[in-house]
Amino acid sequence: MEELFPEASPAEIKLTKAHLKQYRDKKHKVELFERNPPETDKQKRAQEALIKFTSLIERAVDQILHKDVKSVIEYRFIKGNSRAATILKFSSWNCCEKTIDRKIEEGVVSVANTLLYLE
């Protein structure tokens, strides 16, 4: 019997982290297409693929239940900040770097699991 909400494999989690790292670049390209509409079919297909990619990532991040994990993921990947900047931003939580890293990993796993049923 197929699981209603399957768990992502380690390979899927790794791929999701790569996708999250690509998000800002792809979102920027979507914004460029909004300012300069596509002229060819190839550009239209590229625009559609970029919009699908970014909206899936945004929806999956929005599904993260823990507010602190969601905040860290949004700051790190959606806003495109570095790991160091993320740790500095959330240092007011009085926790160590490893705790922030765990929250990042927890968020990546959550996004990976969500993408399994959104795609």
Side-chain angles (χ1 to χ4, degrees), residues 11-77:
E12 291 166 328
I13 293 168
K14 186 176 180 179
L15 181 61
T16 298
K17 192 167 192 176
H19 285 171
L20 284 165
K21 288 178 180 178
Q22 296 170 0
Y23 172 82
R24 284 301 311 148
D25 180 54
K26 292 186 187 256
K27 185 66 173 182
H28 179 69
K29 290 176 182 172
V30 167
E31 292 165 357
L32 286 174
F33 273 126
E34 288 172 356
R35 289 193 302 272
N36 303 300
E39 298 172 2
T40 67
D41 286 339
K42 183 178 180 181
Q43 288 176 340
K44 288 176 185 173
R45 285 192 304 273
Q47 181 189 30
E48 289 170 7
L50 288 166
I51 289 170
K52 180 180 179 184
F53 176 90
T54 56
S55 67
L56 281 172
I57 294 292
E58 289 164 358
R59 286 175 58 199
V61 169
D62 194 49
Q63 295 295 311
I64 298 172
L65 295 176
H66 295 85
K67 290 184 183 204
D68 55 343
V69 173
K70 186 176 180 178
S71 296
V72 170
I73 292 296
E74 286 175 340
Y75 190 81
R76 171 71 175 94
F77 296 109

